Amino acid sequence: MARIIALDWDRREARCVVASSLGGKRRILAAKSVAMVDWAQAGPSRSQVGDTLRAVLDQAGAGRGIVLVGVDRANVELIHLTLPPAKPHELPELVAMQVFAQSQTPEEDAIVDFLPLGPAAEGSDRVATNPVPVMAAVLSKSHMATVQAACAAAGLKPNHVLLRPLAAASLLARRLSPHQGTCFLVCPLGSEADLAILVDGRVVFQRTVRLPEEVGEETIAQRLAAEIHRTLMVAQQGVVNGNPVDQLFVFGSEEEHALLVEAIRNELNLAAHVIDPFDIVDGPEDGPPQRPARFAGLLGMVLDEADRTHAVDFLNPRRPPPRADRRRIAAVLVAAALLALAGVGYSTWSDIAAADEEIARLTAEIKERDKLLDSTAEARAVVRAVRAWESGAIVWLDELRDLCVRLPSARDLVVQRMTMALDRGGGGGIELTGTARDPQVVVRMEQSLRDDYHEVRSKRVQERESKGYAWTFESSISVAPRDKASYRETLPSSP
């Protein structure tokens, strides 16, 4: 019987769920929490966290088993990416290249794992026919060291380090039907709440919001309802492709979230359903704990471990398959050839020596030709790019002027990167990445740019922790080909 121990902690408490798994059957043995000791403004020491973890493990009677540790969203950077069509084993390398170009995490050796957001089948070797959307998760090496040190102080060695909000969403997905549509999940955790949007049981958007402390429950309910509304507005800008949210679910108990459910129904005109996470699994014999929503992520981690389906694992991230060592293969082949030819006479050895000389000569010739190709690669690439540029039916200088006239002012929006490229159909595309003061600024930008020759779609609008320009966005503009003379007729006048 395999035993599974799931842990997470925050500034208020440490939580633990102990479960057993045998023959596909999972049983929750214990779910306990212990208040965190002496949490100062800078946080407790590793030994204090370790003492609290040890206390909650003792209360749960954890013993030995597979150790799962959950980390919260505040310590993880999420980046939404759209990758070109590729085989599944090629995705880790593509994700790594794009993440380190866009990540705000200063460490170049940060840990990166990702979750495919589309229906691509992992494990197959088929090339996707459409662009592949993924959600990349970045965890700094320093925070991983902090987690491992706290576990070591409690006498533990983690087997998996997981993203808690995705595990909670996985728990809800087990309750939904495979084609449930677009759903919204709210998982309150005291001073913060995990919010996630699922489409057909797959997470497509996730954020964690801070909640005010030492205020009344009615104030917290109104604040959380406002954050839900804000999340829905951001998600509609390309994340859920215009599909309305069909249902909203809140983890917890009816009594605990009565004010929140009422606020959601009155202010958002949405039906909210409260689900006790311990109703999805068999609860412990001594009954579910108080405020069961705090254990939703741990329960999801336990079930995912039993099924070996963790969405994101920072200790075991997705990596490309190891490349074959050609030198070792060549050495094995040469050794086999030598053994096979051990009994051959002097004439055979002479032929081999002559063949080796020819191979060396041809290898040297190939290297010389490769050097020649490398030296002219840049020039050939420039020639191809210029030919493609001249053959297009798009006047890029006029398109650039069009953008400058229509974009909002720098007071509201800043473009950090812009890419223009032609496509095979004779049209083109423009990729914009930047920051904005408010998601409504991005909406106004789309409305201003959209006309008969331009189609605008924002792939990502995401809040970040920053003053001033608090939102990042990624937008794609499809540019249709047209007669060059028509630019004078359709371009707006300069301000």
PDB file of all heavy atoms in Angstrom, residues 382-401:
ATOM      1  N   VAL A 382      19.786  37.386 -45.777  1.00  0.00           N
ATOM      2  CA  VAL A 382      19.407  38.761 -46.103  1.00  0.00           C
ATOM      3  C   VAL A 382      18.773  38.826 -47.484  1.00  0.00           C
ATOM      4  O   VAL A 382      17.764  39.511 -47.713  1.00  0.00           O
ATOM      5  CB  VAL A 382      20.630  39.693 -46.005  1.00  0.00           C
ATOM      6  CG1 VAL A 382      20.301  41.078 -46.548  1.00  0.00           C
ATOM      7  CG2 VAL A 382      21.108  39.783 -44.562  1.00  0.00           C
ATOM      8  N   VAL A 383      19.369  38.109 -48.454  1.00  0.00           N
ATOM      9  CA  VAL A 383      18.823  38.121 -49.827  1.00  0.00           C
ATOM     10  C   VAL A 383      17.406  37.568 -49.832  1.00  0.00           C
ATOM     11  O   VAL A 383      16.491  38.124 -50.461  1.00  0.00           O
ATOM     12  CB  VAL A 383      19.749  37.317 -50.760  1.00  0.00           C
ATOM     13  CG1 VAL A 383      19.078  37.121 -52.119  1.00  0.00           C
ATOM     14  CG2 VAL A 383      21.080  38.029 -50.937  1.00  0.00           C
ATOM     15  N   ARG A 384      17.185  36.442 -49.120  1.00  0.00           N
ATOM     16  CA  ARG A 384      15.835  35.864 -49.081  1.00  0.00           C
ATOM     17  C   ARG A 384      14.849  36.817 -48.415  1.00  0.00           C
ATOM     18  O   ARG A 384      13.708  36.955 -48.861  1.00  0.00           O
ATOM     19  CB  ARG A 384      15.870  34.534 -48.328  1.00  0.00           C
ATOM     20  CG  ARG A 384      16.542  33.414 -49.096  1.00  0.00           C
ATOM     21  CD  ARG A 384      16.228  32.062 -48.466  1.00  0.00           C
ATOM     22  NE  ARG A 384      16.738  31.976 -47.108  1.00  0.00           N
ATOM     23  CZ  ARG A 384      17.945  31.507 -46.791  1.00  0.00           C
ATOM     24  NH1 ARG A 384      18.748  31.061 -47.742  1.00  0.00           N
ATOM     25  NH2 ARG A 384      18.338  31.441 -45.522  1.00  0.00           N
ATOM     26  N   ALA A 385      15.283  37.451 -47.334  1.00  0.00           N
ATOM     27  CA  ALA A 385      14.387  38.371 -46.637  1.00  0.00           C
ATOM     28  C   ALA A 385      14.034  39.564 -47.524  1.00  0.00           C
ATOM     29  O   ALA A 385      12.881  40.022 -47.558  1.00  0.00           O
ATOM     30  CB  ALA A 385      15.042  38.849 -45.342  1.00  0.00           C
ATOM     31  N   VAL A 386      15.018  40.101 -48.250  1.00  0.00           N
ATOM     32  CA  VAL A 386      14.741  41.250 -49.129  1.00  0.00           C
ATOM     33  C   VAL A 386      13.804  40.857 -50.257  1.00  0.00           C
ATOM     34  O   VAL A 386      12.866  41.582 -50.603  1.00  0.00           O
ATOM     35  CB  VAL A 386      16.069  41.818 -49.680  1.00  0.00           C
ATOM     36  CG1 VAL A 386      15.806  42.858 -50.757  1.00  0.00           C
ATOM     37  CG2 VAL A 386      16.886  42.431 -48.555  1.00  0.00           C
ATOM     38  N   ARG A 387      14.012  39.666 -50.829  1.00  0.00           N
ATOM     39  CA  ARG A 387      13.115  39.212 -51.900  1.00  0.00           C
ATOM     40  C   ARG A 387      11.686  39.044 -51.392  1.00  0.00           C
ATOM     41  O   ARG A 387      10.725  39.423 -52.049  1.00  0.00           O
ATOM     42  CB  ARG A 387      13.634  37.896 -52.469  1.00  0.00           C
ATOM     43  CG  ARG A 387      14.889  38.052 -53.335  1.00  0.00           C
ATOM     44  CD  ARG A 387      15.376  36.692 -53.803  1.00  0.00           C
ATOM     45  NE  ARG A 387      16.548  36.831 -54.660  1.00  0.00           N
ATOM     46  CZ  ARG A 387      17.266  35.788 -55.099  1.00  0.00           C
ATOM     47  NH1 ARG A 387      16.922  34.553 -54.748  1.00  0.00           N
ATOM     48  NH2 ARG A 387      18.322  36.002 -55.872  1.00  0.00           N
ATOM     49  N   ALA A 388      11.574  38.435 -50.194  1.00  0.00           N
ATOM     50  CA  ALA A 388      10.224  38.265 -49.623  1.00  0.00           C
ATOM     51  C   ALA A 388       9.585  39.615 -49.330  1.00  0.00           C
ATOM     52  O   ALA A 388       8.382  39.821 -49.514  1.00  0.00           O
ATOM     53  CB  ALA A 388      10.306  37.432 -48.343  1.00  0.00           C
ATOM     54  N   TRP A 389      10.395  40.567 -48.838  1.00  0.00           N
ATOM     55  CA  TRP A 389       9.880  41.914 -48.533  1.00  0.00           C
ATOM     56  C   TRP A 389       9.390  42.618 -49.810  1.00  0.00           C
ATOM     57  O   TRP A 389       8.319  43.204 -49.848  1.00  0.00           O
ATOM     58  CB  TRP A 389      10.987  42.705 -47.863  1.00  0.00           C
ATOM     59  CG  TRP A 389      10.588  44.090 -47.424  1.00  0.00           C
ATOM     60  CD1 TRP A 389      10.515  45.205 -48.165  1.00  0.00           C
ATOM     61  CD2 TRP A 389      10.164  44.453 -46.110  1.00  0.00           C
ATOM     62  NE1 TRP A 389      10.091  46.259 -47.408  1.00  0.00           N
ATOM     63  CE2 TRP A 389       9.864  45.831 -46.144  1.00  0.00           C
ATOM     64  CE3 TRP A 389      10.021  43.764 -44.906  1.00  0.00           C
ATOM     65  CZ2 TRP A 389       9.446  46.526 -45.029  1.00  0.00           C
ATOM     66  CZ3 TRP A 389       9.594  44.453 -43.804  1.00  0.00           C
ATOM     67  CH2 TRP A 389       9.313  45.816 -43.868  1.00  0.00           C
ATOM     68  N   GLU A 390      10.197  42.539 -50.887  1.00  0.00           N
ATOM     69  CA  GLU A 390       9.833  43.236 -52.124  1.00  0.00           C
ATOM     70  C   GLU A 390       8.645  42.585 -52.813  1.00  0.00           C
ATOM     71  O   GLU A 390       7.887  43.252 -53.532  1.00  0.00           O
ATOM     72  CB  GLU A 390      11.035  43.257 -53.063  1.00  0.00           C
ATOM     73  CG  GLU A 390      12.187  44.124 -52.570  1.00  0.00           C
ATOM     74  CD  GLU A 390      13.382  44.080 -53.504  1.00  0.00           C
ATOM     75  OE1 GLU A 390      13.398  43.208 -54.392  1.00  0.00           O
ATOM     76  OE2 GLU A 390      14.273  44.930 -53.352  1.00  0.00           O
ATOM     77  N   SER A 391       8.470  41.256 -52.636  1.00  0.00           N
ATOM     78  CA  SER A 391       7.374  40.580 -53.328  1.00  0.00           C
ATOM     79  C   SER A 391       6.036  40.777 -52.634  1.00  0.00           C
ATOM     80  O   SER A 391       4.999  40.441 -53.191  1.00  0.00           O
ATOM     81  CB  SER A 391       7.680  39.079 -53.406  1.00  0.00           C
ATOM     82  OG  SER A 391       7.747  38.523 -52.118  1.00  0.00           O
ATOM     83  N   GLY A 392       6.024  41.276 -51.432  1.00  0.00           N
ATOM     84  CA  GLY A 392       4.768  41.455 -50.710  1.00  0.00           C
ATOM     85  C   GLY A 392       3.972  42.637 -51.211  1.00  0.00           C
ATOM     86  O   GLY A 392       4.483  43.567 -51.833  1.00  0.00           O
ATOM     87  N   ALA A 393       2.673  42.590 -50.935  1.00  0.00           N
ATOM     88  CA  ALA A 393       1.771  43.655 -51.355  1.00  0.00           C
ATOM     89  C   ALA A 393       1.455  44.587 -50.204  1.00  0.00           C
ATOM     90  O   ALA A 393       0.416  45.215 -50.172  1.00  0.00           O
ATOM     91  CB  ALA A 393       0.491  43.061 -51.919  1.00  0.00           C
ATOM     92  N   ILE A 394       2.360  44.659 -49.244  1.00  0.00           N
ATOM     93  CA  ILE A 394       2.131  45.491 -48.062  1.00  0.00           C
ATOM     94  C   ILE A 394       3.235  46.540 -47.985  1.00  0.00           C
ATOM     95  O   ILE A 394       4.422  46.224 -48.082  1.00  0.00           O
ATOM     96  CB  ILE A 394       2.135  44.638 -46.779  1.00  0.00           C
ATOM     97  CG1 ILE A 394       0.971  43.643 -46.817  1.00  0.00           C
ATOM     98  CG2 ILE A 394       2.044  45.506 -45.542  1.00  0.00           C
ATOM     99  CD1 ILE A 394       0.953  42.706 -45.645  1.00  0.00           C
ATOM    100  N   VAL A 395       2.829  47.786 -47.824  1.00  0.00           N
ATOM    101  CA  VAL A 395       3.794  48.885 -47.651  1.00  0.00           C
ATOM    102  C   VAL A 395       3.983  49.054 -46.138  1.00  0.00           C
ATOM    103  O   VAL A 395       3.160  49.663 -45.447  1.00  0.00           O
ATOM    104  CB  VAL A 395       3.288  50.192 -48.300  1.00  0.00           C
ATOM    105  CG1 VAL A 395       4.324  51.295 -48.132  1.00  0.00           C
ATOM    106  CG2 VAL A 395       2.990  49.967 -49.767  1.00  0.00           C
ATOM    107  N   TRP A 396       5.071  48.506 -45.635  1.00  0.00           N
ATOM    108  CA  TRP A 396       5.259  48.447 -44.188  1.00  0.00           C
ATOM    109  C   TRP A 396       5.452  49.824 -43.568  1.00  0.00           C
ATOM    110  O   TRP A 396       5.079  50.032 -42.416  1.00  0.00           O
ATOM    111  CB  TRP A 396       6.436  47.547 -43.844  1.00  0.00           C
ATOM    112  CG  TRP A 396       6.137  46.111 -44.111  1.00  0.00           C
ATOM    113  CD1 TRP A 396       6.608  45.332 -45.108  1.00  0.00           C
ATOM    114  CD2 TRP A 396       5.247  45.276 -43.362  1.00  0.00           C
ATOM    115  NE1 TRP A 396       6.089  44.065 -45.038  1.00  0.00           N
ATOM    116  CE2 TRP A 396       5.255  43.996 -43.965  1.00  0.00           C
ATOM    117  CE3 TRP A 396       4.449  45.461 -42.231  1.00  0.00           C
ATOM    118  CZ2 TRP A 396       4.508  42.940 -43.504  1.00  0.00           C
ATOM    119  CZ3 TRP A 396       3.713  44.405 -41.760  1.00  0.00           C
ATOM    120  CH2 TRP A 396       3.739  43.167 -42.402  1.00  0.00           C
ATOM    121  N   LEU A 397       6.045  50.772 -44.287  1.00  0.00           N
ATOM    122  CA  LEU A 397       6.205  52.110 -43.715  1.00  0.00           C
ATOM    123  C   LEU A 397       4.844  52.760 -43.493  1.00  0.00           C
ATOM    124  O   LEU A 397       4.613  53.427 -42.471  1.00  0.00           O
ATOM    125  CB  LEU A 397       7.070  52.972 -44.636  1.00  0.00           C
ATOM    126  CG  LEU A 397       8.554  52.578 -44.702  1.00  0.00           C
ATOM    127  CD1 LEU A 397       9.287  53.466 -45.687  1.00  0.00           C
ATOM    128  CD2 LEU A 397       9.191  52.655 -43.341  1.00  0.00           C
ATOM    129  N   ASP A 398       3.927  52.559 -44.455  1.00  0.00           N
ATOM    130  CA  ASP A 398       2.574  53.102 -44.267  1.00  0.00           C
ATOM    131  C   ASP A 398       1.850  52.379 -43.136  1.00  0.00           C
ATOM    132  O   ASP A 398       1.086  52.986 -42.378  1.00  0.00           O
ATOM    133  CB  ASP A 398       1.779  52.983 -45.560  1.00  0.00           C
ATOM    134  CG  ASP A 398       2.225  54.006 -46.597  1.00  0.00           C
ATOM    135  OD1 ASP A 398       2.815  55.042 -46.208  1.00  0.00           O
ATOM    136  OD2 ASP A 398       1.993  53.765 -47.788  1.00  0.00           O
ATOM    137  N   GLU A 399       2.075  51.041 -43.044  1.00  0.00           N
ATOM    138  CA  GLU A 399       1.460  50.309 -41.936  1.00  0.00           C
ATOM    139  C   GLU A 399       1.981  50.824 -40.588  1.00  0.00           C
ATOM    140  O   GLU A 399       1.225  50.967 -39.627  1.00  0.00           O
ATOM    141  CB  GLU A 399       1.757  48.810 -42.067  1.00  0.00           C
ATOM    142  CG  GLU A 399       1.087  48.115 -43.229  1.00  0.00           C
ATOM    143  CD  GLU A 399      -0.415  48.010 -43.052  1.00  0.00           C
ATOM    144  OE1 GLU A 399      -0.887  48.173 -41.907  1.00  0.00           O
ATOM    145  OE2 GLU A 399      -1.102  47.793 -44.045  1.00  0.00           O
ATOM    146  N   LEU A 400       3.285  51.094 -40.518  1.00  0.00           N
ATOM    147  CA  LEU A 400       3.861  51.619 -39.283  1.00  0.00           C
ATOM    148  C   LEU A 400       3.278  52.987 -38.948  1.00  0.00           C
ATOM    149  O   LEU A 400       2.972  53.286 -37.790  1.00  0.00           O
ATOM    150  CB  LEU A 400       5.382  51.709 -39.425  1.00  0.00           C
ATOM    151  CG  LEU A 400       6.149  52.130 -38.169  1.00  0.00           C
ATOM    152  CD1 LEU A 400       5.884  51.170 -37.016  1.00  0.00           C
ATOM    153  CD2 LEU A 400       7.637  52.198 -38.467  1.00  0.00           C
ATOM    154  N   ARG A 401       3.105  53.828 -39.950  1.00  0.00           N
ATOM    155  CA  ARG A 401       2.493  55.142 -39.716  1.00  0.00           C
ATOM    156  C   ARG A 401       1.048  54.976 -39.236  1.00  0.00           C
ATOM    157  O   ARG A 401       0.584  55.685 -38.334  1.00  0.00           O
ATOM    158  CB  ARG A 401       2.531  55.963 -41.002  1.00  0.00           C
ATOM    159  CG  ARG A 401       1.813  57.314 -40.877  1.00  0.00           C
ATOM    160  CD  ARG A 401       1.905  58.107 -42.179  1.00  0.00           C
ATOM    161  NE  ARG A 401       1.178  59.359 -42.084  1.00  0.00           N
ATOM    162  CZ  ARG A 401      -0.101  59.518 -42.400  1.00  0.00           C
ATOM    163  NH1 ARG A 401      -0.793  58.475 -42.823  1.00  0.00           N
ATOM    164  NH2 ARG A 401      -0.694  60.692 -42.295  1.00  0.00           N
TER     165      ARG A 401
END
